[in-house]
Amino acid sequence: MEGIEHRTVEVNGIKMHIAEKGEGPVVLFLHGFPELWYSWRHQILALSSLGYHAVVPDLRGYGDTDAPDSTSNYTCFHIVGDLIGLIDSLGVDQVFLVGHDWGAIIGWYLCVFRPERVKAYVCLSVPFLHRNPKVRIVDSLRAVYGDDYYICRFQEAGKMEGEIAEVGTEYFLKNLLTTRKTGPPILPKGEFGSGFNPHMTESLPPWLTQHDLQYYVSNFQRTGFTGGLNYYRNMNLNWELMAPWNVVKIRVPVKFITGELDMVYTSGGIKEYIHGGGFKEDVPNLEEVIVQKGVAHFNNQEAPQEINDYIYDFIRKF
């Protein structure tokens, strides 16, 4: 992590921690759940060495960034507002955007609300999913997957936090980060149980060291998980807030990358949407879809060199 600088910027009424390195056009990286700026450690070093200014915040509710108490302070408007404040603080009009997991979802919102601030978008794991005006999103997921679907289980304030506390922060993080279980994540009701990874082993995969795991553990032991879980708890509210953008096209140039074992990619209907024309219809400037063989959900950490190359090959064109 040599040469990565850390500072705090004031944006949208909160203090946001960012890690950054390099000079040149800004590449803004957005992490997912349950992650931190650290998830992009490989990309920071690679892109900064190629003539870019890599900027990676801890998103609202995570790490060293402020975590407002109210659940309703984690809507898509709040998070995108934070990012616009961050971009403004950098003194640039546009950024290259890279997002993964919840960072990918927030990236799509940014492309909807302020497309003029995004030069091009490299999206990992979560494709753009257009709004169904007839049913709220969590209600729709519950109807398809049942009450034990992980997003449904995350809805009740304090409930999942208590279940994580029972198994411990390290168990929860290791269980989730190392899972290679495909399909929609179903969690046993009323307990975390074996969680996302029923086949979790004692040893870590080659791409995740004990030092890496401990960095996450120490941070989440300090902050808890409520900030990150609040993103899920605003999904129905986000659905309501997005009514003015009911039929919207993403006009930003996009490259999409996922792993063939990704829990999102292997959930019902996602492959068909990505490869069957629906994704391209919603995102007309979708230039490429890449499916990485043998790679699971956390592809920016599991296959970092490949991801670095894909990002650079795309953004260098602009």
Side-chain angles (χ1 to χ4, degrees), residues 23-303:
E23 296 181 358
V26 173
V27 185
L28 177 61
F29 294 90
L30 308 178
H31 68 79
F33 176 88
E35 299 179 86
L36 300 161
W37 74 268
Y38 190 80
S39 304
W40 298 107
R41 58 198 178 278
H42 306 293
Q43 287 72 39
I44 295 172
L45 299 177
L47 271 296
S48 64
S49 73
L50 293 168
Y52 293 91
H53 180 189
V55 178
V56 194
D58 282 333
L59 294 176
R60 173 181 291 238
Y62 286 91
D64 291 319
T65 292
D66 285 350
D69 291 334
S70 175
T71 302
S72 61
N73 283 339
Y74 292 81
T75 70
C76 54
F77 288 164
H78 289 90
I79 313 303
V80 171
D82 297 344
L83 297 178
I84 293 299
L86 173 57
I87 294 169
D88 288 344
S89 77
L90 297 169
V92 297
D93 293 327
Q94 286 189 313
V95 298
F96 291 111
L97 186 65
V98 184
H100 172 261
D101 188 79
W102 256 106
I105 297 171
I106 297 302
W108 291 120
Y109 282 128
L110 180 56
C111 290
V112 168
F113 299 146
R114 298 299 301 275
E116 79 282 2
R117 305 306 297 267
V118 181
K119 198 173 297 183
Y121 182 27
V122 179
C123 178
L124 277 57
S125 180
V126 184
F128 178 72
L129 298 174
H130 59 254
R131 181 179 186 270
N132 180 346
K134 297 181 179 179
V135 60
R136 300 192 304 173
I137 187 165
V138 178
D139 301 350
S140 173
L141 293 169
R142 182 174 280 111
V144 173
Y145 297 120
D147 290 339
D148 289 353
Y149 183 60
Y150 79 109
I151 289 175
C152 301
R153 295 266 278 103
F154 285 0
Q155 292 302 307
E156 185 179 342
K159 183 74 172 175
M160 183 52 61
E161 290 92 327
E163 294 174 18
I164 293 171
E166 289 183 15
V167 298
T169 300
E170 182 167 354
Y171 180 94
F172 174 75
L173 288 167
K174 180 180 176 183
N175 184 275
L176 181 47
L177 290 170
T178 63
T179 186
R180 303 184 79 72
K181 188 175 184 294
T182 56
I186 305 296
L187 304 182
K189 191 162 188 177
E191 58 175 314
F192 184 73
S194 58
F196 292 87
N197 187 1
H199 307 296
M200 189 176 82
T201 61
E202 284 298 316
S203 60
L204 292 171
W207 56 269
L208 186 69
T209 68
Q210 188 62 38
H211 174 82
D212 296 333
L213 180 60
Q214 283 306 128
Y215 187 87
Y216 292 115
V217 171
S218 62
N219 272 272
F220 282 103
Q221 282 178 335
R222 176 174 55 83
T223 65
F225 292 92
T226 299
L229 290 167
N230 280 341
Y231 287 58
Y232 296 93
R233 293 167 183 160
N234 278 279
M235 290 178 77
N236 273 346
L237 179 55
N238 286 341
W239 177 87
E240 295 176 18
L241 295 172
M242 287 299 292
W245 294 270
N246 193 43
V247 181
V248 67
K249 305 287 187 187
I250 301 293
R251 302 293 179 183
V252 171
V254 172
K255 183 174 194 169
F256 179 77
I257 311 167
T258 188
E260 68 172 350
L261 304 177
D262 190 307
M263 62 183 82
V264 178
Y265 181 65
T266 53
S267 290
I270 297 296
K271 286 183 183 180
E272 292 78 6
Y273 170 71
I274 290 172
H275 301 293
F279 192 14
K280 178 68 172 176
E281 184 177 338
D282 290 334
V283 186
N285 293 324
L286 175 66
E287 296 194 10
E288 190 175 11
V289 170
I290 293 168
V291 180
Q292 297 173 289
K293 298 294 183 185
V295 175
H297 180 65
F298 297 95
N299 53 345
N300 54 331
Q301 298 183 73
E302 181 180 342

Side-chain angles (χ1 to χ4, degrees), residues 11-25:
V11 298
N12 195 24
I14 67 168
K15 292 180 179 178
M16 171 176 274
H17 163 251
I18 64 170
E20 60 186 336
K21 186 177 184 183
E23 296 181 358

